[in-house]
Amino acid sequence: MAQKKLVKQTLTYLLGVSVPTSKQNAAKIRIRRLEFDNHLKMHFPSYEFVYALDSEKRCKTGDTVLIQNLPEKITRLISHKVIDVIYPLGDIKDPISGKKCVVGKYRDTINEDAELFGKLKNAFDYDEATPRGSTEGVRDFSNKKTYVKYNDDSKNSDPYAVDPS
């Protein structure tokens, strides 16, 4: 008689940042890991790239996302799935207070300082700003895969090309 073996499968959750990709229904995630160097007795960052299933197209370039490994690979590359977008790019919330932050200050504190000392003409107003993704495909090409343009061709003006000079 054949015995069935019980295999316990561990599901791991990882935190990573979404980077541009040309794959459909998938997101390319950069995961930061620390590797220990025995000679120097220090940890150093190393990056691993994985593809995660994102059929709902929730994550955009730059978002911090929570991913989970799948019991078996869907394709040759896709081995994880996107669980949740933790922090959209630019909208960082303090996990304890729940207030939105800009660099090292709360947005409320920045607004209070502006009221006390006078608001600058060129200061960015977060309340009146359009939501992220409203100019996608018109002025914002951050969702497209970019490449480095090595020659200057006036006939081919591709907005996805980055000029290194």
Side-chain angles (χ1 to χ4, degrees):
M1 269 197 317
Q3 290 182 340
K4 289 185 180 180
K5 289 187 178 181
L6 293 177
V7 178
K8 186 174 182 181
Q9 191 151 26
T10 58
L11 298 175
T12 57
Y13 289 93
L14 298 169
L15 199 65
V17 177
S18 176
V19 295
T21 184
S22 55
K23 286 265 184 216
Q24 296 293 324
N25 296 331
K28 188 176 182 181
I29 309 295
R30 183 183 70 205
I31 300 167
R32 183 175 187 231
R33 295 183 185 258
L34 294 174
E35 289 185 4
F36 186 70
D37 187 2
N38 283 324
H39 182 67
L40 295 174
K41 306 290 188 216
M42 288 178 63
H43 286 90
F44 291 98
S46 66
Y47 296 98
E48 178 184 347
F49 291 92
V50 297
Y51 284 94
L53 179 66
D54 186 23
S55 56
E56 299 170 11
K57 304 231 184 249
R58 287 190 287 182
C59 65
K60 297 181 180 177
T61 302
D63 291 349
T64 303
V65 295
L66 181 69
I67 61 173
Q68 177 187 20
N69 67 332
L70 294 170
E72 57 186 44
K73 287 186 173 185
I74 294 177
T75 65
R76 183 175 53 88
L77 292 174
I78 299 174
S79 59
H80 292 75
K81 71 175 178 178
V82 175
I83 300 296
D84 193 16
V85 175
I86 305 295
Y87 297 122
L89 180 67
D91 288 335
I92 303 294
K93 280 188 181 178
D94 181 24
I96 297 171
S97 66
K99 296 180 181 178
K100 296 215 175 190
C101 301
V102 177
V103 185
K105 295 183 178 181
Y106 294 120
R107 286 188 190 173
D108 301 340
T109 310
I110 293 171
N111 291 337
E112 289 172 4
D113 290 347
E115 289 175 9
L116 287 174
F117 300 110
K119 189 172 184 177
L120 297 173
K121 294 177 187 175
N122 60 353
F124 187 78
D125 191 7
Y126 291 97
D127 298 328
E128 294 180 10
T130 58
R132 182 169 176 239
S134 61
T135 59
E136 192 172 291
V138 180
R139 293 178 57 192
D140 178 23
F141 297 106
S142 63
N143 62 331
K144 303 292 183 189
K145 180 116 172 146
T146 59
Y147 63 93
V148 177
K149 180 170 64 171
Y150 291 105
N151 58 356
D152 192 17
D153 187 11
S154 60
K155 297 175 188 173
N156 186 11
S157 61
D158 192 3
Y160 312 135
V162 178
D163 192 7
S165 59

